[in-house]
Amino acid sequence: MSKIWILTRNLDEKQAEDICNKGLKNCLLENYTPTSIRMGFKELGIDVKTVKLSDVSNFKDMPTMAIDCYPPWSKIETEKLFWLEKQGVMVLNKPKYHSRYHNKWYQAKQLIKSNVTMPYTLEISFPPSIEKINDIEKLIGYPVVVKPTTSGFGIMVFKCHTEDEVFDACLKIFNTKPQLGFTPSSSLIVQKWIDHRFIGIIRIFVIGYKAIMAQQRRPTCETDFFVSNKGLHSIRNSFEITKELSSLCELACRNLNLDFGVIDILHDGDKFLVCEVNPMGNFKSINDDNPTINCGLEIAKYSLFKMKV
Ligand SMILES: Nc1ncnc2c1ncn2[C@@H]1O[C@H](COP(=O)(O)OP(=O)(O)O)[C@@H](O)[C@H]1O
Ligand SMILES: [Mg+2]
């Protein structure tokens, strides 16, 4: 019986083993994280089982630990993670924090409370109240960035220069939401726009509160709003993790109680600010620029350490 499960959304054990045998080089983006973790455990001589999250309740024997490779996108996925925990399984990231901090507003509130440097952030619902519109002007000042509380891939992230543009952005987000399969939420966040065209975004993978590899993403051309997720529009290279960056990452992940996280960091010309923390998240792109780091192995080692303590 396998003591450790790797939780996926589409891969079962047989497919995972096939992909693992072919190697990481040929692996599709969406399979990269579970494959590299599986290979990491293999290197340590430990057999793991790859299980689709939707199938967890079909098994009789429960593992000691389950590592989730993706953020929980839906209520059903979140429920399955909590169900596993109720069976006595140690789930990483812990479902309570994994699901709570997938929400950008819950995350921002906790980070602000913990003195993590980040752009001024407000929550708004739709239609925004007059007080909230006034707050945007008074507390943040235009331009601002409007985004859904639960999203990803840079989808539905808008730079807005006026109240009308904020309104339009809210409308677009609410009209598109069902098609994207976001967890229904009645809120959005409005954030101070940080001009980060020069240093770009620094994306850092963190394991056990320790920053282990970083990637810089800068725009390829002159742009009014750089959305770093769009590969075509960004130059990517590895980036040195300075003391300032590692302390920022540690503080953020410690306060969100996340064992694994991918942090997007902005630079305003003066200091680094946390843009968002993705619980777990795909690290292929960062790893491509840091090929000497065996991320799967690092995750495997950390998970075994957690299992013993
Ligand atoms: N406050 C901000 N100021 C400037 N650019 C931002 C801000 N927030 C987001 N962006 C840009 O949009 C991208 C996507 O935003 P992010 O908050 O990371 O959402 P997602 O979950 O879609 O990745 C970021 O990588 C960054 O390039
Ligand atoms: Mg992001």
Side-chain angles (χ1 to χ4, degrees):
M1 184 188 97
S2 247
K3 280 197 156 132
I4 300 169
W5 282 2
I6 295 176
L7 300 175
T8 61
R9 301 299 181 264
N10 329 307
L11 286 185
D12 61 20
E13 171 62 17
K14 191 180 169 316
Q15 291 163 321
E17 186 56 15
D18 285 350
I19 293 170
C20 196
N21 288 336
K22 284 183 195 139
L24 270 180
K25 272 210 173 79
N26 304 307
C27 183
L28 293 173
L29 177 70
E30 62 264 33
N31 297 332
Y32 187 88
T33 302
T35 306
S36 72
I37 301 174
R38 193 179 169 98
M39 287 168 82
F41 277 109
K42 243 189 185 161
E43 244 180 280
L44 296 172
I46 294 168
D47 275 331
V48 294
K49 195 186 187 89
T50 300
V51 176
K52 283 190 213 173
L53 184 57
S54 54
D55 291 348
V56 289
S57 39
N58 301 344
F59 292 86
K60 215 169 83 229
D61 291 326
M62 286 291 123
T64 310
M65 172 182 270
I67 303 162
D68 195 17
C69 295
Y70 310 94
W73 283 103
S74 67
K75 220 170 131 195
I76 296 174
E77 287 176 5
T78 305
E79 274 167 13
K80 292 275 180 189
L81 293 171
F82 278 106
W83 181 85
L84 264 179
E85 208 177 35
K86 283 233 163 70
Q87 311 310 305
V89 180
M90 178 193 275
V91 183
L92 301 184
N93 287 313
K94 197 169 167 50
K96 179 168 135 190
Y97 304 116
H98 202 58
S99 53
R100 180 189 298 160
Y101 296 128
H102 181 46
N103 178 306
K104 290 183 205 284
W105 174 236
Y106 295 163
Q107 180 185 119
K109 273 203 292 193
Q110 180 63 15
L111 292 177
I112 293 162
K113 203 173 107 191
S114 321
N115 291 321
V116 173
T117 330
M118 67 175 302
Y120 201 106
T121 306
L122 280 175
E123 185 204 33
I124 59 167
S125 47
F126 190 79
S129 67
I130 189 75
E131 288 81 11
K132 285 281 177 181
I133 291 290
N134 288 341
D135 280 351
I136 294 175
E137 180 99 52
K138 221 172 44 209
L139 302 172
I140 309 182
Y142 290 100
V144 293
V145 175
V146 175
K147 40 189 161 179
T149 45
T150 48
S151 64
F153 316 106
I155 300 167
M156 295 286 124
V157 178
F158 300 97
K159 182 182 176 197
C160 304
H161 302 82
T162 61
E163 180 187 328
D164 284 351
E165 284 182 14
V166 169
F167 230 87
D168 284 350
C170 294
L171 261 180
K172 275 189 196 138
I173 290 168
F174 278 94
N175 288 336
T176 318
K177 201 172 58 178
Q179 294 161 34
L180 294 172
F182 291 149
T183 306
S185 84
S186 55
S187 70
L188 307 129
I189 59 166
V190 182
Q191 211 166 56
K192 182 177 163 62
W193 173 67
I194 305 295
D195 187 351
H196 63 295
R197 281 172 289 187
F198 299 108
I199 294 193
I201 279 262
I202 312 297
R203 191 149 235 250
I204 305 188
F205 189 62
V206 185
I207 302 177
Y209 314 140
K210 194 170 173 290
I212 69 151
M213 57 181 182
Q215 181 189 53
Q216 180 180 33
R217 298 177 163 187
R218 277 170 303 156
T220 44
C221 54
E222 191 67 26
T223 170
D224 180 49
F225 183 42
F226 173 52
V227 177
S228 75
N229 314 55
K230 293 175 186 155
L232 257 181
H233 306 290
S234 71
I235 311 168
R236 299 174 174 190
N237 48 267
S238 86
F239 196 77
E240 192 198 337
I241 301 169
T242 59
K243 267 211 169 120
E244 183 189 359
L245 282 170
S246 65
S247 310
L248 191 60
C249 291
E250 175 169 354
L251 192 66
C253 281
R254 249 187 213 290
N255 281 290
L256 301 180
N257 291 290
L258 295 174
D259 293 287
F260 310 115
V262 175
I263 312 193
D264 286 335
I265 298 175
L266 300 153
H267 194 276
D268 65 0
D270 175 40
K271 61 187 171 311
F272 288 110
L273 304 106
V274 170
C275 175
E276 67 150 350
V277 181
N278 301 282
M280 188 51 115
N282 198 310
F283 49 79
K284 179 180 187 312
S285 171
I286 323 177
N287 220 169
D288 283 347
D289 282 327
N290 294 273
T292 56
I293 296 171
N294 187 336
C295 220
L297 184 63
E298 295 300 321
I299 292 175
K301 281 187 197 158
Y302 174 77
S303 307
L304 291 177
F305 160 77
K306 276 288 277 202
M307 215 155 93
K308 283 191 195 110
V309 287

